[in-house]
Amino acid sequence: MAAPLRFARTTVFAVVCLGLGVAAHVLGGATVPAPAMAGGLAVAFGAAYALAGRERSVTVILPLLAALQIVMHVLFSMSHAATPHQMAGHLHSGLVPDLGMLVAHGWAVAMTALWLARGEAALWSLLRRLAVRLLLIWLPLLTTPFSTPLWTAEPRVLRPAVLRHVVSRRGPPRVVAA
């Protein structure tokens, strides 16, 4: 796969993963400092770049996204210096999330994984169609004087076929005497 497309796919995955983690953490009542966001983006980018070489299904995207959300959750929870009063307002205390946080992370990971898998399928379908179109455009231009053409400009002459069930009645209708 071309490097720019691989880089773009990896960047989209990393940004979606980081955005999901930061949004969930901020909605939970915590803050996320910029160095933690940069670290989370680097971790997500590094993990996704290895897998961005070909089309991936939801069975690959879902575990990767879940693992990255766990890593980012721990990273974000350890990165901010919060007072006990601020930690009480957060949905969990310390590194152990409660049931609500687990459900929120699980729901977000499942929905995002399905969304990214559909995007992957659409992207690869578009690339396959583009390759076929380009092949149809460039193939006639690549013929040599010694190669046979793929198609001729004139239509093929159809051979007459004998039809078994044809009833041929030429002429005026017969008069039936009563």
Side-chain angles (χ1 to χ4, degrees):
M1 168 185 285
L5 182 60
R6 185 175 189 167
F7 183 78
R9 290 177 60 226
T10 303
T11 303
V12 167
F13 182 85
V15 168
V16 166
C17 191
L18 178 71
L20 178 64
V22 169
H25 217 72
V26 169
L27 286 174
T31 60
V32 180
M37 280 192 248
L41 185 64
V43 168
F45 190 88
Y49 189 76
L51 297 176
R54 59 181 184 190
E55 183 177 4
R56 300 295 174 186
S57 67
V58 74
T59 58
V60 175
I61 294 172
L62 183 69
L64 177 64
L65 194 59
L68 285 172
Q69 285 299 307
I70 291 170
V71 168
M72 283 191 196
H73 180 81
V74 171
L75 178 70
F76 295 162
S77 294
M78 293 178 67
S79 67
H80 63 357
T83 64
H85 182 275
Q86 290 172 333
M87 288 302 285
H90 196 50
L91 290 178
H92 63 86
S93 59
L95 297 177
V96 181
D98 65 350
L99 183 62
M101 180 66 77
L102 287 175
V103 168
H105 273 290
W107 180 257
V109 165
M111 291 295 108
T112 306
L114 290 172
W115 177 58
L116 286 171
R118 295 288 295 165
E120 278 278 302
L123 173 70
W124 284 96
S125 173
L126 180 68
L127 289 175
R128 282 189 286 271
R129 289 178 183 179
L130 181 64
V132 168
R133 298 281 180 175
L134 289 176
L135 187 66
L136 288 174
I137 290 170
W138 286 99
L139 204 56
L141 300 176
L142 298 176
T143 58
T144 63
F146 301 107
S147 65
T148 59
L150 293 177
W151 63 85
T152 59
E154 298 176 10
R156 205 172 58 163
V157 177
L158 299 175
R159 289 180 274 155
V162 177
L163 303 175
R164 287 186 352 197
H165 302 289
V166 171
V167 179
S168 176
R169 295 185 183 141
R170 297 189 77 182
R174 281 192 245 164
V175 177
V176 178

